């Protein structure tokens, strides 16, 4: 009994000593926080999406207050309204923000794309990508296990039964979180108002693309040759659309009718898949 009491006394004494030391250290080496950082953080939407390029709203608030080079217009969810408030607090000028939405550059679903093997591991795209680049025949295509969907901080994505994620553009604010977690870089951010886009991410040559996916871009250049405004280029075997030219100059999307595989899609129809095909949703 005496031994137990002594142990208790010693442990209490040690705890008090460490508490005093830590308290002194906290007071002695405390760093005063800039109150402006708290004010800026209060104006941010707290989505913690990372769309600003920083690890959360607090990190961005610190950066925009302490670094004169950091723009007050980096909060994508907050848009122009938050940018103006942050600019006013920091004495900076808000820049014009171009609204964007996420776009899935792959249509290689369970019906039209080949599989190299049956994956039995954790249903996570990054995990599957570690095993020979995933089960899909096309090494550039969407793996389809919904890592992007689970990481969307605004519930703007859902997985379709066909194995391709759908984006609800009424909700998507273009924060880029889904794009940052995709191991295949299948998701891009495109300006709102873009008329056509290529729903393919493959840089393989046409013969290999055709073997792996019936709807992939062959890099044949038919779309480019039929675009009167020079808005489409073939880069590394893949058609790339310049959205600025397409939005401002094109009035007739001839590229849609000339693509032999249908890899180029009318963007409004494609992006509204999430609204038009609710019955195809398997997991939200």
């Amino acid at each position: 009994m005496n031994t137990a009491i002594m142990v208790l006394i010693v442990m209490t004494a040690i705890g008090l000593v460490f508490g005093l030391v830590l308290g002194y250290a906290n007071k002695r080496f405390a760093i005063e926080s800039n109150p402006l950082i708290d004010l800026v953080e209060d104006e941010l939407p707290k989505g913690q999406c990372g769309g600003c390029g920083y690890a959360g709203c607090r990190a961005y608030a610190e950066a925009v207050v302490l670094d004169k080079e950091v723009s007050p217009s980096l909060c994508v969810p907050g848009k122009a309204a938050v940018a103006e408030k942050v600019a006013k607090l920091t004495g900076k000028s808000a820049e014009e923000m171009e609204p964007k939405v996420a776009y899935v550059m792959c249509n290689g679903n369970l019906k039209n794309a080949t599989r190299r093997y049956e994956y039995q591991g954790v249903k996570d795209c990054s995990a599957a990508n570690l095993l020979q680049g995933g089960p899909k025949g096309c090494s550039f295509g969407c793996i389809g296990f919904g890592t992007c969907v689970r990481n969307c901080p605004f519930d703007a994505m859902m997985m379709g039964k066909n194995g391709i994620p759908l984006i609800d553009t009424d909700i998507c604010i273009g924060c880029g979180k889904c794009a940052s977690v995709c191991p295949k870089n299948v998701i891009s951010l495109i300006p709102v108002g873009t008329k056509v886009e290529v729903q393919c991410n493959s840089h393989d040559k046409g013969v290999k693309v055709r073997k792996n996916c019936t709807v992939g871009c062959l890099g044949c250049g038919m779309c480019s040759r039929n675009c009167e405004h020079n808005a489409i280029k073939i880069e590394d075997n893949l058609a790339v659309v310049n959205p600025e030219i397409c939005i401002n100059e094109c009035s007739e999307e001839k590229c849609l009718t000339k693509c032999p595989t249908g890899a180029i899609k009318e963007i409004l129809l494609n992006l509204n898949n999430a609204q038009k095909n609710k019955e195809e949703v398997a997991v939200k």
Side-chain angles (χ1 to χ4, degrees), residues 35 41 120 159 198 219-220 269:
E41 185 182 16
Q120 299 293 336
M159 283 302 298
V198 180
C220 64
L269 295 176

Side-chain angles (χ1 to χ4, degrees), residues 18-208:
F18 273 103
L20 291 172
V21 171
L22 290 174
Y24 172 77
N26 183 59
K27 186 175 181 180
R28 177 68 176 79
F29 300 105
I31 300 175
E32 292 187 9
S33 175
N34 188 330
L36 184 55
I37 294 174
D38 296 325
L39 293 176
V40 170
E41 185 182 16
D42 288 341
E43 297 295 345
L44 301 178
K46 309 299 189 300
Q48 314 301 340
C49 62
C52 58
Y54 293 90
C57 296
R58 181 69 182 184
Y60 173 53
E62 291 176 350
V64 75
V65 169
L66 301 176
D67 189 342
K68 63 180 182 180
E69 300 297 328
V70 176
S71 170
S73 304
L74 298 184
C75 181
V76 181
K79 302 181 180 178
V82 168
E84 289 292 342
K85 292 178 181 179
V86 174
K88 185 175 181 180
L89 286 169
T90 57
K92 299 178 179 180
S93 298
E95 303 162 0
E96 185 177 352
M97 300 178 69
E98 182 182 36
K100 294 184 177 182
V101 291
Y103 178 74
V104 181
M105 301 182 295
C106 180
N107 193 31
N109 57 44
L110 299 174
K111 295 181 179 180
N112 53 38
T114 63
R115 295 292 186 274
R116 293 185 292 126
Y117 61 87
E118 188 67 28
Y119 179 75
Q120 299 293 336
V122 178
K123 293 299 187 290
D124 177 81
C125 298
S126 297
N129 191 49
L130 295 175
L131 186 60
Q132 300 178 1
K136 184 168 285 188
C138 174
S139 61
F140 299 93
C142 172
I143 293 177
F145 290 145
T147 300
C148 54
V149 175
R150 292 188 292 274
N151 279 273
C152 176
F154 302 101
D155 292 327
M157 301 184 73
M158 57 198 79
M159 283 302 298
K161 290 182 179 180
N162 63 1
I164 298 295
L166 302 173
I167 298 170
D168 188 337
T169 54
D170 289 337
I171 301 175
C172 178
I173 48 81
C175 71
K177 183 67 175 182
C178 55
S180 69
V181 298
C182 177
K184 295 294 188 180
N185 297 315
V186 165
I187 302 176
S188 65
L189 298 179
I190 63 173
V192 171
T194 300
K195 296 179 179 179
V196 299
E197 260 297 350
V198 180
Q199 199 170 23
C200 181
N201 188 49
S202 177
H203 294 284
D204 286 329
K205 293 185 177 181
V207 175
K208 189 173 182 180

Side-chain angles (χ1 to χ4, degrees), residues 188-236:
S188 65
L189 298 179
I190 63 173
V192 171
T194 300
K195 296 179 179 179
V196 299
E197 260 297 350
V198 180
Q199 199 170 23
C200 181
N201 188 49
S202 177
H203 294 284
D204 286 329
K205 293 185 177 181
V207 175
K208 189 173 182 180
V209 171
R210 177 74 80 175
K211 178 181 178 182
N212 292 322
C213 181
T214 60
V215 294
C217 174
L218 304 177
C220 64
M222 286 289 290
C223 54
S224 178
R225 289 192 292 273
N226 283 277
C227 177
E228 298 176 353
H229 307 286
N230 201 31
I232 305 176
K233 303 287 186 182
I234 304 299
E235 299 178 4
D236 195 13

